[in-house]
Amino acid sequence: MVAGQQSWSTQTVAGSELVPGVLLLRYRRHSGGEDQARATFVASKATKATAGATSAAVKRRRQLERGQMTRPESMAFEMSNKNKELMNDIFTNCKLKNGFGPSVQATAAATSPTKRPLSPDHPNPALPITETPSPAMNRMGWALRTLLVADSSSCLKDRKVSGKLIRKCAPGTELVDWLVNLSPIVHTRAQAAGMWQALLEEGVLAHVNKEQPFKDKCFLYRFRLDEEGGTAAAGVPQAEDLGAANEHIREALSALFQRGPDATLRMILRKPSHERTSEELELVFEELVHIAALSHLSTSIKRELSSIFVFEAHAQAGTILFNQGDEGRSWYILLKGSVDVVIHGKGTVATLKTGDDFGKLALINDAPRAATIVLKENNCHLLRVDKEHFNRILRDVEANTLRLQEHGKDVLVLERVAKQRGQHSAFKYTVMSGTPAKMLEHLLETRLGQSVGGLDPFLDDFLLTHIVFMPVVQLVDELANYFHCDAHEDAQTAEDREYIINFKKRVIQFMQKWVMAVRHAAFEEPSVCDFIEDLAAEVEADPDLNEETSIVHNVLTQMARYQEDRNQNAGQKWKLPPNGQPICLFSGNATPSKTVIRPDDDIIFRVYCADHTYCTLRFPMHTTAELIKACAADKLQLNRGPEDLVLVEVKSNGERSVFKDNDVSIPTGLSLNGRLFVSVKDHLDALTQLQEQECPTEGVDIDLEILSTKELAYHITLFEWDLFWAVHEYELLYHTFGRHHFGKITANLDVFLRRFNEVQYWIVTELVSTPSLSKRVGLVRKFIKLAAYCKEYQNLNAFFAVVMGLSNMAVSRLQQTWEKIPSKFRKIFQEFEALIDPSRNHRAYRVFVGKLQPPLIPFMPLLLKDMTFAHEGNKTSLDGLVNFEKMHMMAQTMRTIRFCRSRSLGLEPPSPKSEGEVRSYISSFRVIDNQRVLTAMSQKVEPTRKL
Ligand code: CMP
């Protein structure tokens, strides 16, 4: 074997074809000479076990060294004509500059490039890019050699170099001379050199030491035929062969003439950047202008890229360029051929073609490779930019949007966004839209597994909003499939096992973060509990998952605590008393604090019919309107079919609102003094409100004057904190999208929102039902102080309610009262009004609240408004993909709630006295919520002055 010759091969196992499913890679390294990989790629048919199951997934973690190559049928790098001319000039100039160099040995010693292995990682322009020459090139080479040998004055001679005989070799310069003389179409030495390089890159011709590409210099080259020896190489050609060669040569020369410039360009792109001359860089630059994947880049960036792009050629279909889960090291543009994008458990999801690029996702996000890239055909050509150069030149200018496709359809759309401060690079991709399954895959592949502190925003958004686009059962199913990705794989190598274990760890991490993000909501789903238990059993049984046992135990403990709490509170009952307050929480009953209303808690409530007779019903919270309607109709003996009946709320002002049959948590959803009616559809107009709806509801009778205002604010805040604490972030989603979509109750949110109205109307009711002017003045002062204390306690919900109550038309018109309010109080009140000013999207409040630290109770109606705006202003689905930007917007609002409650409320009681009295007073205010009635009462206490 000639010194420096490589021993390598890349094989595709016969008959193998990439199919979705199992990809088994086997490779071994050849020792001796350069460290070369011999790769055998086996693709065996997938066994998809169950629908949606992760079929024995691809799990090989091997970095195959890229093998080399067989025959390119056509040239990938088709140079523009202009460049072909330029190329000729370059070579002419090179020749002039270089002249005829010293002897082969001397040159080799002086300038011998360090030997590079035959790996596309470090391509060597002296070596062929194909495994064996194509028949066409072989024939061209044969014809040229035949004519050369037949020529008695030929340069092709046996020569002794360093005492060693090298048969039939010739210096590059003489080969160029000969070719220029042979054909009138070859005008320049550069053209001739390019033609010889075209033969060299297919292995028809080679430098004797395999150290040089073709150069118009004194380096010695010889034909492959002469390297191999044998009969074909021996002696003078027969007349018959000579005739055939002569006949073929014209066609051969013209084909070679075409290929020369492209071969030269490929040769330049395989040289290390410091060996590329400025003329060569100019030539590469001119070619980059024609590549679509670079069209968005500026000229200066393309110039920089000219020196760092590397040309890679791969001979064998089935060669793996890199594996899913690998570290991202390069970005690629496909110049020729096609590659399959293969994903564990899915198989081939996309095929990328000439001109497509891939591999920047991992580079930009510093994440593992999201897919395995497998060559689909023989002789693929690629341009490669390695990570360090990519980061330096491209990272910050890369295209803003990245669309990933599977089976011809977009599955994930990512957009480049500025990274948060503290992260080590400036930009990364964030998900804009995607299919639910692909987003989950992206999460598991790229956002978990690294020891990152805190909750990744994408993961958090996903966990907070997935119920909108991926029901819990589906999510659990997908996770179980990922966790059991090894279920159908028998033989596993250590590397396979490592990959599988890593993936299992990610699923466990996901579970942990899920529970962290949504707390008890996760445990409310039986499918989640079953999954956690299965997971725990498997983790216990698997020694490789030892480190994960503590995570799983922690989750199990939380689950047990939840279940215990649930059992203790099983059969929890609520009451909707006839006079105002919908549930016992507000009726002064000794309910334990921080009680969450659960879907299967019972609630006792009345349902009226048109003649104001009623029945009392007891149903779980999650009971549908349809069932309540049927039961009430039966009890009230309406004798009509359910299709003729409706369940309807009649508000205290007589307004009616009909419930959908599939609506749930009906009683808690009523307005303050609203009543539930069952009515014949056609008789809706006959429904009138009850007399009691217009009167102040019953409550604790107390002389407000004697209560300490700070005490009031303190107890209001404690009370509302408990209500706020019980609201789950998901209830905001149910409320915004409509709880009937989810079949989930929003009772805790309903109660909290009612509370806002209750406080607001309590202020108005108290003021308009106080006939004494001096008492009213005292009350207004008290309420302004109350607002100030609520603000101090960071109970913004009550602060808004009190200030809005004082700004209610029935109160603001009380001129005589306001005239007597000291200006100091009026000024404070004006400041408060400025704070609740809704203009510029509640800017004043947002700025104020933005500076507060938790714990705080936010102004809930504004959060709901933000949710509604996000919902109504943005489609949930965009071209069949989940609009994740919308989910992100909603999650931001939901996170606000989490932030507000991230520290527990530890208020100092203003005084130790009157605890019980004030608490029962503030939990059951006397309220009129009919504006007409309130205005009339206001008129009564302070009739409008006649001018
Ligand atoms: P990266 O994750 O760096 O490496 C694998 C590449 O495959 C990925 O970047 C994308 O450029 C490309 N790719 C194309 N289609 C998909 C797809 N549907 N899912 C994941 N990766 C894909």
Side-chain angles (χ1 to χ4, degrees):
M1 190 184 289
V2 178
Q5 190 173 350
Q6 318 292 323
S7 156
W8 55 269
S9 74
T10 304
Q11 295 175 289
T12 304
V13 165
S16 71
E17 192 184 304
L18 261 191
V19 288
V22 187
L23 304 178
L24 296 175
L25 312 184
R26 303 278 177 260
Y27 79 101
R28 70 196 138 92
R29 283 180 180 277
H30 276 217
S31 54
E34 303 294 335
D35 183 18
Q36 289 304 321
R38 174 179 287 229
T40 305
F41 175 76
V42 183
S44 70
K45 227 176 181 92
T47 41
K48 262 212 161 180
T50 49
T54 305
S55 61
V58 183
K59 305 158 213 98
R60 316 300 160 189
R61 303 289 84 204
R62 301 204 179 85
Q63 183 67 44
L64 280 188
E65 252 178 80
R66 290 78 172 167
Q68 324 291 189
M69 327 315 161
T70 47
R71 2 165 191 135
E73 298 318 335
S74 67
M75 306 309 269
F77 227 126
E78 291 283 318
M79 278 186 99
S80 60
N81 285 334
K82 176 171 171 278
N83 284 336
K84 289 188 181 177
E85 285 160 25
L86 179 64
M87 178 72 82
N88 293 336
D89 291 347
I90 290 170
F91 273 77
T92 313
N93 292 340
C94 286
K95 193 249 146 191
L96 291 176
K97 263 188 248 152
N98 294 328
F100 293 88
S103 76
V104 173
Q105 288 304 322
T107 308
T111 61
S112 167
T114 29
K115 272 187 199 146
R116 286 175 294 266
L118 180 57
S119 149
D121 266 356
H122 308 278
N124 183 347
L127 297 175
I129 61 169
T130 57
E131 207 170 39
T132 51
S134 65
M137 286 304 249
N138 236 346
R139 187 141 176 82
M140 287 180 216
W142 171 82
L144 283 168
R145 180 186 170 280
T146 306
L147 295 182
L148 264 169
V149 174
D151 184 344
S152 55
S153 62
S154 165
C155 52
L156 212 56
K157 297 191 184 106
D158 295 349
R159 296 166 203 255
K160 237 185 179 175
V161 179
S162 301
K164 194 173 156 198
L165 182 71
I166 300 180
R167 293 181 60 78
K168 289 204 171 54
C169 59
T173 46
E174 291 182 29
L175 286 171
V176 167
D177 287 341
W178 183 79
L179 202 55
V180 171
N181 287 333
L182 181 73
S183 165
I185 64 164
V186 185
H187 299 295
T188 66
R189 300 188 67 83
Q191 284 170 339
M195 291 161 78
W196 286 118
Q197 174 61 25
L199 289 165
L200 187 143
E201 74 169 10
E202 288 218 15
V204 174
L205 186 80
H207 174 245
V208 290
N209 278 343
K210 305 281 186 334
E211 285 171 348
Q212 297 290 345
F214 189 85
K215 287 186 181 164
D216 185 4
K217 291 190 180 174
C218 290
F219 300 131
L220 290 176
Y221 298 89
R222 63 177 163 170
F223 284 90
R224 180 184 159 104
L225 267 175
D226 297 313
E227 271 177 16
E228 290 166 348
T231 47
V236 181
Q238 305 286 316
E240 194 184 319
D241 284 343
L242 200 56
N246 268 321
E247 210 169 284
H248 185 61
I249 199 67
R250 186 182 253 278
E251 196 187 315
L253 286 175
S254 124
L256 269 184
F257 187 77
Q258 286 299 316
R259 290 188 186 211
D262 294 327
T264 307
L265 190 63
R266 284 190 283 269
M267 186 269 287
I268 297 169
L269 285 165
R270 289 197 293 151
K271 290 209 263 185
S273 48
H274 65 270
E275 288 179 18
R276 298 180 193 177
T277 66
S278 52
E279 289 92 342
E280 287 172 344
L281 291 179
E282 185 61 29
L283 189 91
V284 175
F285 165 75
E286 290 288 323
E287 285 308 309
L288 297 188
V289 174
H290 304 290
I291 296 179
L294 305 176
S295 58
H296 61 288
L297 299 174
S298 68
T299 304
S300 63
I301 286 177
K302 280 187 201 130
R303 280 199 189 283
E304 283 199 70
L305 288 174
S306 312
S307 67
I308 49 111
F309 260 130
V310 177
F311 176 82
E312 263 187 43
H314 295 270
Q316 290 287 347
T319 302
I320 291 184
L321 211 54
F322 54 73
N323 277 298
Q324 185 176 0
D326 284 351
E327 183 198 346
R329 294 197 288 135
S330 312
W331 173 56
Y332 297 89
I333 297 172
L334 200 50
L335 289 178
K336 180 187 156 213
S338 56
V339 297
D340 279 330
V341 180
V342 183
I343 293 183
H344 303 149
K346 290 184 176 173
T348 302
V349 297
T351 298
L352 306 178
K353 306 223 157 48
T354 302
D356 289 339
D357 69 301
F358 56 90
K360 68 183 162 209
L361 189 55
L363 298 190
I364 291 197
N365 276 354
D366 284 328
R369 292 291 192 195
T372 298
I373 299 290
V374 187
L375 303 192
K376 194 176 164 70
E377 24 181 311
N378 292 343
N379 297 314
C380 290
H381 292 180
L382 299 136
L383 277 185
R384 191 185 85 216
V385 176
D386 290 335
K387 186 173 180 174
E388 58 175 306
H389 299 301
F390 184 90
N391 284 348
R392 183 170 54 83
I393 303 170
L394 288 172
R395 187 174 191 123
D396 296 346
V397 293
E398 251 317 295
N400 280 329
T401 308
L402 182 61
R403 306 181 90 86
L404 299 185
Q405 292 201 327
E406 288 181 8
H407 311 296
K409 290 204 176 111
D410 285 349
V411 287
L412 199 64
V413 180
L414 301 135
E415 203 159 276
R416 201 168 56 89
V417 290
K419 268 191 179 177
Q420 312 278 306
R421 257 191 297 146
Q423 283 170 301
H424 61 86
S425 60
F427 293 101
K428 68 168 189 174
Y429 280 118
T430 192
V431 173
M432 302 309 283
S433 59
T435 62
K438 185 69 186 180
M439 291 194 292
L440 177 64
E441 178 191 293
H442 182 66
L443 260 178
L444 289 170
E445 287 282 353
T446 66
R447 305 298 179 106
L448 288 160
Q450 304 114 2
S451 53
V452 276
L455 206 51
D456 178 280
F458 173 44
L459 176 59
D460 196 32
D461 291 348
F462 187 95
L463 292 173
L464 286 175
T465 60
H466 75 87
I467 52 169
V468 174
F469 54 84
M470 190 182 218
V472 173
V473 180
Q474 191 189 335
L475 176 56
V476 167
D477 245 32
E478 298 263 355
L479 288 174
N481 285 335
Y482 278 118
F483 193 79
H484 298 124
C485 59
D486 55 339
H488 312 287
E489 186 84 350
D490 299 332
Q492 288 169 11
T493 65
E495 280 172 328
D496 296 341
R497 183 75 193 141
E498 189 189 326
Y499 173 74
I500 292 166
I501 290 298
N502 267 333
F503 216 89
K504 286 180 188 275
K505 287 182 179 175
R506 288 174 200 197
V507 174
I508 295 165
Q509 262 186 40
F510 183 94
M511 194 66 237
Q512 180 199 25
K513 310 250 173 184
W514 189 5
V515 170
M516 237 161 75
V518 308
R519 307 175 313 281
H520 62 261
F523 304 130
E524 263 160 27
E525 305 287 339
S527 58
V528 178
C529 297
D530 291 349
F531 178 56
I532 292 175
E533 275 165 13
D534 289 353
L535 213 62
E538 299 207 31
V539 170
E540 297 255 314
D542 193 337
D544 288 333
L545 295 173
N546 241 340
E547 285 170 23
E548 272 52 44
T549 42
S550 64
I551 300 180
V552 174
H553 282 163
N554 185 283
V555 174
L556 277 179
T557 312
Q558 291 186 52
M559 189 165 94
R561 234 182 266 146
Y562 166 80
Q563 281 163 351
E564 197 179 309
D565 181 56
R566 202 186 162 90
N567 291 341
Q568 266 174 14
N569 292 310
Q572 213 163 241
K573 272 202 305 280
W574 306 86
K575 191 176 159 204
L576 183 70
N579 50 358
Q581 305 308 335
I583 55 172
C584 54
L585 263 178
F586 291 145
S587 65
N589 289 354
T591 47
S593 64
K594 289 192 177 176
T595 304
V596 176
I597 305 174
R598 299 205 164 90
D600 44 9
D601 286 355
D602 276 351
I603 182 159
I604 300 164
F605 56 99
R606 287 179 181 180
V607 182
Y608 295 82
C609 62
D611 64 2
H612 292 183
T613 54
Y614 65 86
C615 64
T616 305
L617 299 178
R618 175 174 164 173
F619 271 114
M621 290 283 179
H622 59 72
T623 309
T624 58
E626 188 176 22
L627 193 57
I628 295 174
K629 179 178 76 177
C631 201
D634 186 43
K635 284 208 168 190
L636 294 166
Q637 298 176 341
L638 292 189
N639 298 330
R640 299 291 279 262
E643 61 291 347
D644 292 340
L645 297 169
V646 283
L647 195 66
V648 57
E649 177 189 355
V650 178
K651 297 188 177 151
S652 62
N653 62 1
E655 236 179 71
R656 300 169 201 105
S657 89
V658 175
F659 289 100
K660 294 186 182 69
D661 272 355
N662 56 356
D663 223 338
V664 289
S665 59
I666 306 292
T668 54
L670 297 181
S671 69
L672 260 184
N673 289 339
R675 293 288 184 276
L676 205 51
F677 279 71
V678 61
S679 160
V680 176
K681 251 183 207 161
D682 303 337
H683 300 169
L684 262 182
D685 292 344
L687 298 183
T688 56
Q689 70 268 53
L690 309 172
Q691 174 107 55
E692 65 187 33
Q693 287 182 261
E694 300 200 330
C695 302
T697 53
E698 280 177 16
V700 177
D701 219 355
I702 203 167
D703 188 356
L704 253 181
E705 259 178 292
I706 58 159
L707 289 185
S708 139
T709 314
K710 191 162 185 184
E711 196 96 0
L712 266 179
Y714 170 76
H715 284 290
I716 287 176
T717 304
L718 288 191
F719 181 77
E720 295 190 357
W721 176 259
D722 288 349
L723 298 185
F724 175 50
W725 183 88
V727 177
H728 195 279
E729 292 91 324
Y730 277 172
E731 289 185 70
L732 270 74
L733 281 181
Y734 303 150
H735 185 276
T736 311
F737 283 86
R739 49 196 177 204
H740 56 278
H741 283 304
F742 303 88
K744 297 282 187 184
I745 66 163
T746 53
N748 297 291
L749 178 61
D750 295 341
V751 170
F752 188 53
L753 289 174
R754 287 174 58 94
R755 175 65 181 179
F756 178 84
N757 289 333
E758 192 188 14
V759 173
Q760 184 185 342
Y761 283 109
W762 161 64
I763 301 284
V764 189
T765 307
E766 286 296 333
L767 282 166
V768 298
S769 47
T770 304
S772 153
L773 177 61
S774 61
K775 279 197 170 181
R776 274 204 309 280
V777 172
L779 268 186
V780 169
R781 290 174 57 154
K782 193 175 193 74
F783 289 150
I784 293 175
K785 281 209 273 181
L786 179 66
Y789 281 126
C790 287
K791 183 169 163 245
E792 192 181 310
Y793 285 139
Q794 304 199 148
N795 180 355
L796 284 324
N797 201 54
F799 168 79
F800 261 75
V802 174
V803 178
M804 281 170 81
L806 287 170
S807 318
N808 184 291
M809 218 254 290
V811 176
S812 61
R813 64 165 294 285
L814 298 173
Q815 249 179 24
Q816 293 162 39
T817 311
W818 284 103
E819 274 163 12
K820 291 199 158 31
I821 302 294
S823 62
K824 185 179 112 188
F825 276 84
R826 282 220 297 266
K827 205 165 154 266
I828 295 174
F829 183 62
Q830 274 166 9
E831 281 168 22
F832 289 171
E833 280 194 309
L835 199 54
I836 70 160
D837 179 7
S839 57
R840 293 162 71 208
N841 197 10
H842 280 277
R843 184 170 163 71
Y845 166 72
R846 288 183 199 272
V847 170
F848 170 75
V849 84
K851 293 181 193 147
L852 299 183
Q853 287 305 311
L856 67 104
I857 307 178
F859 172 43
M860 189 57 109
L862 185 59
L863 294 183
L864 288 178
K865 184 182 147 209
D866 289 346
M867 292 290 284
T868 309
F869 262 59
H871 179 46
E872 287 174 359
N874 302 278
K875 288 186 177 161
T876 303
S877 167
L878 295 174
D879 303 326
L881 302 181
V882 177
N883 178 2
F884 201 73
E885 231 189 331
K886 171 173 177 172
M887 300 304 131
H888 173 68
M889 287 161 84
M890 294 189 142
Q892 293 280 56
T893 307
M894 294 159 82
R895 260 193 290 276
T896 306
I897 293 189
R898 186 197 288 161
F899 170 77
C900 294
R901 300 189 290 212
S902 58
R903 282 198 213 132
S904 54
L905 190 73
L907 299 184
E908 276 293 308
S911 76
K913 64 178 174 78
S914 76
E915 165 80 17
E917 198 186 17
V918 180
R919 181 155 179 106
S920 61
Y921 173 70
I922 60 97
S923 60
S924 175
F925 290 133
R926 291 149 27 95
V927 169
I928 299 171
D929 69 339
N930 181 333
Q931 188 64 41
R932 188 181 45 77
V933 173
L934 291 168
T935 309
M937 288 171 77
S938 167
Q939 284 280 359
K940 203 164 156 206
V941 292
E942 264 187 46
T944 310
R945 281 185 196 149
K946 295 216 165 62
L947 294 172

